[in-house]
Amino acid sequence: MQFQIPIHIPQLQPSISYEDNILLMGSCFTEHIGKFLEEDKFNIVQNPFGIVFDPETLSKSIVDLMEENYIDESELFQQDGIWHHWKFHSRYSGLDKAKVLEGMNESIKKGHDFLKKADWLILTLGTSYVYRLKETNQDLLSKNAELQNRVLVLESYIHKMSTDSIKTNAVLQDSLPHKHYDYIIGRVINNSISQVKNYITINGGSKNGLHSDMGVISQQGIVGIVRTVSDNY
């Protein structure tokens, strides 16, 4: 009687040797693998930014190493007396701002130099979820709205220039009104989905320049029309 299931794992080809340079990045599993390799005297560098779980952050970390993107002092932030950076694990944080900055940039330098000569790049993932700062998202939304408004102004200008160049139609074309639309960003804070007529509430009102009958759009297309407006919603 057999009380176990034999599992045959084929040997890796080519095999990792003691002459190889091994860069490991990713989840805590990377830390465990790296610990065993280091104890067995392999030449490794692991997690120059600390533990990273999701593929997006991991890919950005690799790009930062490739391009040797160092940290600027202005990018550090302080919480409870400790200096941190969003790209780095808290193991790199500390009380001394100058030492924290120096340690992070030294790690980037070390990772960059090692990546150029690495024979192996071992990546491990822990999650598919990515977390972003609300402040960053809000800033991106504002910049996107600003760019959209600039595009509309530019399109209107190009349209006017093109019509002015056609003398036979210049008078007619210039007499047509050119409507300019301004984009105002907003975020959904409440909505109904099961009613005959469904409504959404956004975090913007008359103080933000909104009024009834304005159109509402998203990246996916038309959402609807503003029905009622208060000062803030």
Side-chain angles (χ1 to χ4, degrees):
M1 184 177 293
Q2 186 173 349
F3 292 98
Q4 60 183 4
I5 300 175
I7 299 176
H8 302 287
I9 301 176
Q11 185 175 355
L12 179 66
Q13 295 295 336
S15 300
I16 297 176
S17 70
Y18 279 101
E19 289 76 27
D20 291 339
N21 296 307
I22 309 168
L23 177 61
L24 303 99
M25 298 178 66
S27 65
C28 51
F29 188 52
T30 282
E31 303 279 309
H32 295 299
I33 297 174
K35 179 182 178 182
F36 287 122
L37 290 173
E38 193 171 35
E39 289 176 350
D40 288 338
K41 307 305 178 183
F42 282 90
N43 187 27
I44 73 161
V45 167
Q46 65 177 3
N47 280 339
F49 294 88
I51 296 173
V52 177
F53 289 104
D54 68 273
E56 180 176 329
T57 304
L58 184 57
S59 63
K60 289 180 178 179
S61 298
I62 296 172
V63 171
D64 283 336
L65 291 184
M66 293 172 59
E67 298 180 351
E68 208 169 359
N69 294 328
Y70 292 111
I71 303 302
D72 186 78
E73 182 180 353
S74 62
E75 299 175 33
L76 299 177
F77 68 95
Q78 191 178 36
Q79 184 178 21
D80 298 328
I82 307 296
W83 290 98
H84 308 273
H85 192 285
W86 291 113
K87 290 183 179 180
F88 282 83
H89 188 271
S90 58
R91 73 170 65 156
Y92 290 92
S93 303
L95 295 170
D96 191 315
K97 186 178 183 180
K99 289 184 178 180
V100 168
L101 182 64
E102 181 181 7
M104 292 178 177
N105 284 331
E106 283 181 353
S107 186
I108 292 176
K109 174 63 176 174
K110 181 180 179 181
H112 169 77
D113 292 341
F114 196 84
L115 179 60
K116 291 192 296 184
K117 62 180 182 181
D119 300 290
W120 295 88
L121 175 60
I122 299 177
L123 308 176
T124 66
L125 302 174
T127 182
S128 60
Y129 289 93
V130 181
Y131 296 90
R132 297 184 176 90
L133 292 174
K134 289 184 177 180
E135 293 83 357
T136 302
N137 286 343
Q138 187 67 23
D139 183 55
L140 290 174
L141 286 173
S142 299
K143 289 180 179 178
N144 184 57
E146 181 182 352
L147 288 173
Q148 291 280 13
N149 288 328
R150 290 184 179 183
V151 167
L152 288 174
V153 172
L154 182 59
E155 287 178 345
S156 178
Y157 177 76
I158 293 174
H159 176 73
K160 187 177 186 305
M161 291 292 291
S162 63
T163 54
D164 285 346
S165 65
I166 305 175
K167 295 181 179 180
T168 56
N169 294 328
V171 176
L172 176 61
Q173 294 287 351
D174 287 342
S175 66
L176 296 175
H178 298 292
K179 183 64 176 177
H180 173 67
Y181 298 94
D182 290 323
Y183 287 89
I184 302 173
I185 62 172
R187 181 168 57 88
V188 176
I189 59 174
N190 190 28
N191 67 292
S192 63
I193 58 174
S194 59
Q195 307 299 321
V196 176
K197 293 184 178 180
N198 293 292
Y199 295 90
I200 64 173
T201 304
I202 62 175
N203 62 338
S206 57
K207 290 183 178 180
N208 306 100
L210 299 176
H211 57 77
S212 299
D213 297 325
M214 293 182 75
V216 182
I217 63 173
S218 70
Q219 291 180 336
Q220 284 71 42
I222 297 174
V223 176
I225 298 175
V226 176
R227 181 68 180 272
T228 58
V229 177
S230 64
D231 289 343
N232 299 304
Y233 302 100

